[in-house]
Amino acid sequence: GCILDGKLYPFGEIARTENCLRCSCSQNEMRCCSLFHTPVAYDKENCKVVFNKESCDYDVVQKSDPSKQCHVYSRV
């Protein structure tokens, strides 16, 4: 298998690691890509970005009331 962040994963496709990556493990290499997109265009003055490990994505919430979502214009 392959070791990533101290955890052993089996050969083949890994749909989701503990750190929200999708990986492919072979005898020669391990390739991974993220399952989330980083917010880049939002109201930075009134909102903040919080990583949600349950959904493997970033939530953009109001600084004054984190229970309220902010509109995101663009992600990368």
Side-chain angles (χ1 to χ4, degrees):
C2 299
I3 295 178
L4 179 67
D5 297 325
K7 184 170 180 186
L8 179 65
Y9 292 93
F11 289 125
E13 297 297 317
I14 300 133
R16 177 180 166 175
T17 68
E18 289 181 4
N19 292 324
C20 297
L21 300 173
R22 181 181 320 132
C23 299
S24 174
C25 172
S26 71
Q27 289 183 348
N28 300 323
E29 66 183 351
M30 185 171 193
R31 292 184 184 200
C32 298
C33 62
S34 65
L35 292 171
F36 51 87
H37 295 93
T38 306
V40 291
Y42 59 94
D43 181 355
K44 292 181 173 79
E45 187 174 319
N46 296 307
C47 302
K48 65 180 179 178
V49 176
V50 179
F51 190 71
N52 182 334
K53 203 164 186 174
E54 298 267 325
S55 66
C56 281
D57 205 358
Y58 286 102
D59 294 333
V60 182
V61 296
Q62 291 181 8
K63 290 179 181 177
S64 61
D65 185 355
S67 69
K68 294 183 180 173
Q69 296 281 328
C70 291
H71 183 73
V72 178
Y73 303 102
S74 177
R75 292 178 184 257
V76 292

